[in-house]
Amino acid sequence: MKFVSWNVNGLRSCLKKGFVESVLGLDADFICLQETKMERGQAEVALPGYHEFWNSADKKGYSGTAIFTRREPLSVSYGMDLDKHDHEGRLITLEYPDFWLVNCYTPNAQNELARIGYRMEWEDDLLDYLKSLDKTKPVVYCGDLNVAHEEIDLKNPKTNRGNAGFSDQERAAMTRLLGSGFTDTFRLLYPDQEGAYSWWSYRFHAREKNAGWRIDYFIVSDRLGERVEQAAIHPDVQGSDHCPVSLTLAE
């Protein structure tokens, strides 16, 4: 089973930059998108053979998630069933016979950590949500989680310490998640790999210099760890300021 996650930073824009060819080339069973910035039907997404599930923000052209899957789920849910979190289209959960798939676009803490209070509420509630799912069957949790966990996960950790995405609070929340029965699949396979990034600023030629951050993840319940065959980052795929990340699990 192959999973792909990609923050497309506006799907309508990404469609004009080879999105369909890129994702078909990755040949995934599950394609999880973040920051779609659209509602279903606003553009044609030509992925025949895939079921579509969309969660769009109340605010037009903002946030949003979608999943395209070759495998029809047993059930679908949108959000966490918590009103304070469920207006920005940030979460889709699909249920399958032997796992849950959770696609997430984590709120950004914003400049000067203006939204850090809300971000921490989100982290607490999301962890409770994932743990509740994990009680019934293992979880595959993916998306733009808007945090570089350790110094190895971004090019310039010293100068970014305390900034959104690399604040002590956000990093501690990721540490709590990974200490609660969940595994970062990329670091499971490549614990010491440097220069592995999934997002680059559009400024200062950051992508061509590979001055990036690893903020896009596949995280799984610990008991799925033995089924992880591959966890990859695909920096050659263009079309967004993020690149896709992927996970392959043994059936």
Side-chain angles (χ1 to χ4, degrees):
M1 279 188 298
K2 185 174 182 181
F3 303 78
V4 162
S5 175
W6 192 5
N7 179 321
V8 292
N9 193 9
L11 182 53
R12 283 171 289 184
S13 172
C14 197
L15 282 163
K16 299 173 185 175
K17 302 173 184 175
F19 168 82
V20 169
E21 294 80 4
S22 293
V23 295
L24 289 178
L26 292 169
D27 192 26
D29 300 291
F30 307 89
I31 302 164
C32 299
L33 307 180
Q34 304 88 41
E35 207 170 358
T36 53
K37 297 183 181 179
M38 62 174 280
E39 297 176 7
R40 183 175 184 176
Q42 286 189 296
E44 181 183 358
V45 185
L47 295 175
Y50 286 87
H51 305 278
E52 300 178 35
F53 303 95
W54 295 75
N55 191 7
S56 301
D58 294 352
K59 180 181 177 181
K60 303 295 185 187
Y62 175 74
S63 187
T65 48
I67 300 178
F68 294 78
T69 173
R70 290 171 172 158
R71 304 189 185 200
E72 189 169 2
L74 300 176
S75 69
V76 184
S77 58
Y78 302 95
M80 285 186 249
D81 200 25
L82 292 172
D83 185 70
K84 63 181 174 178
H85 296 314
D86 292 349
H87 294 276
E88 296 185 349
R90 293 187 177 274
L91 208 66
I92 304 175
T93 303
L94 303 187
E95 180 185 7
Y96 288 93
D98 62 343
F99 68 94
W100 300 95
L101 174 60
V102 180
N103 178 28
C104 179
Y105 178 35
T106 299
N108 192 301
Q110 299 184 348
N111 288 340
E112 298 182 354
L113 303 183
R115 211 183 187 197
I116 193 68
Y118 174 69
R119 168 66 179 266
M120 291 300 103
E121 290 182 29
W122 170 277
E123 294 287 359
D124 290 344
D125 292 334
L126 192 279
L127 178 57
D128 288 344
Y129 178 71
L130 294 176
K131 288 163 68 174
S132 71
L133 294 178
D134 187 56
K135 289 178 180 176
T136 62
K137 59 185 80 174
V139 175
V140 177
Y141 170 49
C142 71
D144 174 3
L145 305 188
N146 260 318
V147 60
H149 183 215
E150 302 287 1
E151 291 193 355
I152 194 175
D153 294 314
L154 72 166
K155 178 69 172 180
N156 297 305
K158 297 293 187 287
T159 54
N160 281 294
R161 174 84 184 269
N163 289 341
F166 200 59
S167 68
D168 292 349
Q169 300 97 308
E170 292 163 302
R171 296 173 65 195
M174 176 61 84
T175 298
R176 277 197 307 275
L177 170 65
L178 297 177
S180 300
F182 298 93
T183 296
D184 175 351
T185 58
F186 186 80
R187 287 296 172 216
L188 174 68
L189 297 185
Y190 310 106
D192 303 314
Q193 184 170 331
E194 300 179 0
Y197 308 130
S198 63
W199 173 80
W200 304 263
S201 170
Y202 281 130
R203 303 164 64 196
F204 311 122
H205 304 285
R207 190 158 186 169
E208 68 183 67
K209 297 175 182 175
N210 197 31
W213 300 49
R214 189 177 73 95
I215 59 175
D216 301 87
Y217 295 80
F218 273 97
I219 291 172
V220 300
S221 297
D222 285 350
R223 58 194 185 280
L224 287 179
E226 62 187 15
R227 292 173 56 186
V228 175
E229 293 184 338
Q230 184 185 51
I233 301 175
H234 303 272
D236 294 338
V237 177
Q238 303 287 326
S240 169
D241 52 348
H242 295 248
C243 73
V245 298
S246 66
L247 171 69
T248 304
L249 291 181
E251 293 280 5

